[in-house]
């Protein structure tokens, strides 16, 4: 319990004891009894009266504070109006008391569940060990500068992103990816913050500041995600704008119309009964359960998804994701591993090893999977100072100067645009043509492998009711078609530049019914425009790629395409919980409202019903986490 909650508890106790004493001790003087009751009422209700008053001044008249204030002040006015000897103000005090108890409970429950959701994604590092004069000192991760060497012992969390300078170990990445399989790392590997170091001591040279590191970015994303409102949340706030005035008008009608009829019919207006019913009606109408449970359900859904390695950037995307009917994939790095192997070097005009050396050197600054693969195939250390004037052309390749020779390296599109004649290749694979100083120098055949889960993921998507799966790739026809066939995709388009991918996605967006949504799944490398254009952009390969985290709406923490299926499942469950809560609260509300209007339910019942509904709705919301 925090300070604020404790204060409320003390007020509840004082006011409750006073209420008890007023009823137990026989107080002769009506005035004394009235004054004591009013004091008890103010102790428990002053803040609500104040909020209601401020609300009226600021123009948001119809909130729950207003409803409580009007109802209780009305009840007090009724007692004074009836001018009864016993001066019974119990009801007004009791209503405020129950309301405050309910609020307190809900405050604690909501705080608890938010905390537990955040704790489940326990990736925030508490400290970093830095080495000074052969001794380790613990500092806060924020203080560590880029390029410092930190030491992570077994059992500790990696506090900052960096590269291992010495040591081997296994990492537990489950908090980031939901994957329980440990990951082996050794000298030279990049590691990201938030993983737990399990076996060996690692010396890591940091490559990012804390605020730029993966753990901080993810925490930031999740903490801010619930501020992006979804349609259902919007619906609730729009609804409240109609609902509350409607309820207030109904209450007014309930207070005035029946007595007027009574006067006409029997001369006895019976004002107090109907005013009381109108006040009860107001108390019942308070939509607390909805107001609390819906954002909480979304928050729990987001938390549940991130536990599984699916980062969703806002509750609006949860809703869109649940309606996904068309899934469009990028090939390289998304459905395939993007780790190419060099299978052959053909038609080389120079020594094959030299061709590979030029290729790898020219690509040494590129982060494209092809570039990385060429560097790996070359194997030796690359002298980056030999490279200058690099021009990377998305979807085609790259041109750079190496030792003052112009190296052009890429697909047939690049060769065509440079008017360089090339030899066709008959091997299956991605063909990388190389030209040196505008002279064709040969090609390198590389091949990628499909991710082990790609085929299962596509089948599972179909099972979930996804109507169409499409692959868009910049790669050549032969490779594209063989991968699409293998994986069971419905449609494939190849040899596309990034801009062509946008055109294709726009066409698909037009073809599908407006209600169903289209998701684009890419690896974040030159897919940013399509990721933004799709109804929902899902980025793969978040382990490392910043561009992906920025551009996408959903980030899959490991490169596993099966996580798309998981994400859709979680989003659907979360949305159905939201609807359950909406329907359930409304049902109970309307029954109570009807009972209140005909005088069966009194104010106490009303409050109990409200608190009860709220508790059930909150418990239901927490289910989204599981
Ligand atoms: P995908 O759509 O499959 O993800 P990209 O759009 O990244 O593929 O690239 C499409 C094609 O462009 C590649 O298959 C390759 O032929 C060529 N290409 C792109 N970047 C490079 C590069 N850095 N080096 C060589 N070729 C490249
Ligand atoms: Mg790609």
């Amino acid at each position: 319990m925090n300070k604020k909650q404790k204060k409320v508890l003390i007020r509840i106790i004082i006011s409750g004891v006073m209420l008890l004493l007023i009823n137990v001790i026989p107080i002769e003087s009506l005035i004394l009894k009235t004054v004591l009751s009013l004091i008890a009422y103010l102790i428990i209700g002053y803040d609500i009266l104040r909020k209601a008053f401020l609300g009226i001044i600021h123009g948001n008249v119809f909130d729950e504070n207003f409803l409580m204030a009007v109802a209780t002040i009305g009840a007090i006015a009724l007692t004074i109006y009836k001018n009864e000897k016993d001066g019974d103000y119990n009801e007004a005090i009791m209503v405020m008391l129950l309301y405050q108890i309910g609020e307190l409970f809900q405050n604690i429950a909501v705080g608890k569940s938010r905390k537990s959701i955040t704790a489940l994604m326990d990736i925030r590092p508490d400290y970093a060990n830095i080495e000074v004069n052969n001794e380790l000192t613990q500092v806060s991760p924020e203080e560590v500068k880029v390029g410092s060497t930190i030491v992570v012992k077994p059992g500790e969390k990696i506090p900052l992103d960096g590269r291992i300078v010495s040591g081997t170990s296994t990492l537990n990445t489950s908090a980031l990816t939901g994957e329980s399989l440990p990951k082996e790392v050794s000298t030279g590997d990049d590691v990201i913050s938030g993983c737990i170091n399990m076996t060996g001591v690692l010396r890591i040279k940091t490559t990012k500041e804390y605020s730029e590191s993966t753990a901080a970015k993810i925490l930031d994303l999740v903490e801010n995600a619930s501020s992006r409102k979804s349609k259902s949340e919007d619906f609730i706030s729009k609804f409240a704008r109609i609902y509350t005035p409607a309820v207030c008008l109904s209450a007014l009608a309930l207070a005035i119309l029946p007595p007027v009829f009574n006067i006409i019919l029997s001369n006895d207006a019976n004002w107090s009964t109907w005013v009381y019913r109108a006040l009860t009606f107001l108390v019942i109408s308070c939509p607390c359960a909805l107001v609390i449970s819906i954002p909480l359900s979304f928050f729990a859904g987001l938390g549940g998804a991130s536990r599984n390695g699916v980062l969703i950037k806002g509750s609006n995307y949860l809703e869109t994701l649940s309606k996904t009917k068309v899934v469009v994939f990028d090939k390289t790095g998304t459905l395939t591993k993007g780790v190419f192997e060099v299978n052959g070097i053909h038609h080389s005009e120079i020594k094959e090893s030299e061709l590979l050396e030029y290729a790898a050197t020219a690509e040494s600054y590129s982060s494209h999977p092809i570039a990385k693969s060429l560097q790996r195939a070359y194997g030796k250390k690359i002298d980056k100072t030999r490279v200058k004037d690099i021009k990377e052309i998305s979807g085609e390749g790259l041109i750079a100067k190496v030792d003052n020779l112009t190296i052009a390296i890429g697909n047939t599109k690049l060769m065509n645009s440079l008017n360089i004649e090339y030899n066709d290749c008959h091997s299956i694979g991605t063909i990388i043509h190389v030209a040196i100083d505008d002279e064709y120098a040969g090609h390198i055949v590389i091949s990628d492998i499909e991710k082990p889960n790609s085929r299962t993921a596509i089948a599972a998507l179909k099972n979930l009711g996804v109507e169409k799966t499409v692959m868009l790739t910049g790669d050549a026809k032969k490779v594209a078609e063989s991968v699409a066939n293998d994986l069971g995709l419905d449609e494939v388009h190849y040899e596309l530049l990034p801009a062509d991918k946008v055109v294709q996605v726009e066409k698909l967006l037009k073809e599908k019914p407006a209600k169903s949504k289209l998701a684009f799944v890419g690896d974040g490398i030159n897919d940013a425009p399509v990721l933004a254009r799709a109804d929902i952009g899902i980025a793969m390969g978040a382990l490392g790629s910043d561009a992906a985290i920025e551009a996408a709406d959903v980030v899959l923490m490991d490169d596993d395409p099966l996580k798309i299926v998981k994400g859709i499942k979680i989003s659907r469950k979360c949305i159905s919980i939201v609807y359950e809560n909406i329907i359930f609260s409304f049902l109970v509300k309307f029954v109570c409202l009807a009972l209140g209007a005909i005088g069966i339910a009194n104010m106490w019942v009303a409050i109990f019903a409200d608190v009860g509904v709220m508790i059930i709705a909150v418990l239901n919301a927490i289910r989204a986490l599981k």
Side-chain angles (χ1 to χ4, degrees), residues 371-535:
K372 295 248 164 94
S373 310
L374 291 175
Q375 291 157 28
R376 204 172 317 108
Y378 175 58
K380 291 176 216 152
K381 204 166 163 63
I382 294 171
D383 177 8
K384 287 194 180 182
T385 55
R386 292 166 64 192
V387 195
K388 56 180 192 225
D389 302 341
I390 305 157
K391 205 167 101 197
E392 188 148 9
I393 306 152
S394 275
E396 294 190 7
L398 150 164
I399 305 173
K401 276 214 158 95
V402 179
D403 309 336
N404 288 321
L405 296 171
T406 306
I407 312 287
I409 169 164
N411 53 19
T412 54
K413 270 202 189 115
L414 182 74
M415 295 297 126
N416 286 334
S417 72
L418 296 173
N419 275 324
I420 295 167
E421 266 187 54
Y422 54 85
N423 288 333
D424 266 327
C425 184
H426 301 289
S427 323
I428 291 218
T430 302
I431 317 295
I432 305 297
H433 298 279
V434 185
I436 302 177
D437 275 343
D438 287 341
E439 290 288 329
Y440 190 62
H443 55 240
I444 303 170
V445 186
I446 58 180
S447 68
D448 198 358
I449 30 175
E450 287 154 15
K451 286 186 191 166
N453 283 336
S454 292
R455 191 209 295 260
T456 334
I458 284 159
L461 283 173
K462 293 244 164 86
N463 271 339
L464 275 183
V466 167
E467 283 153 12
K468 202 190 241 177
T469 53
V470 184
M471 183 173 91
L472 303 179
T473 175
D475 213 342
K477 178 176 178 184
K478 252 198 264 177
V479 190
E481 281 181 341
S482 99
V483 172
N485 259 334
D486 233 37
L487 299 181
L489 288 148
D490 299 322
E491 226 178 278
V492 54
H493 301 271
Y494 39 81
E495 285 162 30
L496 304 171
L497 296 177
D500 302 330
K501 291 189 185 174
V502 177
V503 174
Q504 288 293 342
V505 163
E506 274 172 352
K507 223 166 89 194
L508 289 163
L509 280 169
K510 255 188 227 138
E511 283 168 12
K512 67 165 184 55
K515 266 203 176 149
S516 61
K517 299 292 177 193
L518 180 145
F520 180 83
V521 195
D523 63 352
I525 295 167
N526 69 46
D527 295 326
V530 235
L531 281 173
R533 188 63 192 84
D535 291 323

Side-chain angles (χ1 to χ4, degrees), residues 8 62 212 294 299 375 452 469 507 594 609:
V8 176
F62 300 116
E212 288 298 308
I294 288 176
F299 191 71
Q375 291 157 28
T469 53
K507 223 166 89 194

Side-chain angles (χ1 to χ4, degrees), residues 114-178:
R114 274 186 187 252
K115 237 189 240 149
S116 62
I117 291 165
T118 327
L120 282 169
M121 313 178 322
D122 184 20
I123 55 173
R124 175 171 283 129
D126 308 314
Y127 60 87
N129 302 316
I130 51 170
E131 210 171 17
V132 187
N133 304 332
N134 278 332
E135 266 185 55
L136 290 184
T137 23
Q138 281 192 1
V139 297
S140 99
E142 282 93 344
E143 291 169 29
V144 181
K145 295 206 179 67
V146 175
S148 319
T149 305
I150 54 171
V151 177
V152 185
K153 290 178 273 184
E156 290 182 332
K157 231 172 272 163
I158 295 180
L160 297 124
D161 294 4
R163 179 164 294 169
I164 301 177
V165 271
S166 72
T168 51
S169 181
T170 26
L171 299 184
N172 176 350
T173 61
S174 64
L176 291 172
T177 61

Side-chain angles (χ1 to χ4, degrees), residues 210-263:
Y210 175 71
S211 61
E212 288 298 308
S213 282
T214 309
K217 282 203 160 166
I218 291 172
L219 285 168
D220 188 54
L221 266 181
V222 175
E223 274 156 19
N224 293 320
S226 32
S227 61
R228 297 203 202 189
K229 281 201 174 170
S230 76
K231 278 223 182 83
S232 328
E233 285 171 286
D234 262 1
F235 162 76
I236 292 299
S237 45
K238 271 189 208 137
F239 175 82
R241 247 174 274 150
I242 306 165
Y243 174 79
T244 335
V247 166
C248 290
L249 279 180
S250 312
L252 204 62
L254 196 61
I256 294 172
L257 294 184
V260 169
F261 277 114
N262 281 347
I263 291 175

Side-chain angles (χ1 to χ4, degrees), residues 164 167-171 183-187 189-191 197 202:
I164 301 177
T168 51
S169 181
T170 26
L171 299 184
K183 192 179 160 199
E184 306 285 335
V185 289
S186 60
T187 308
D189 287 340
D190 288 323
V191 290
N197 180 20
L202 294 175

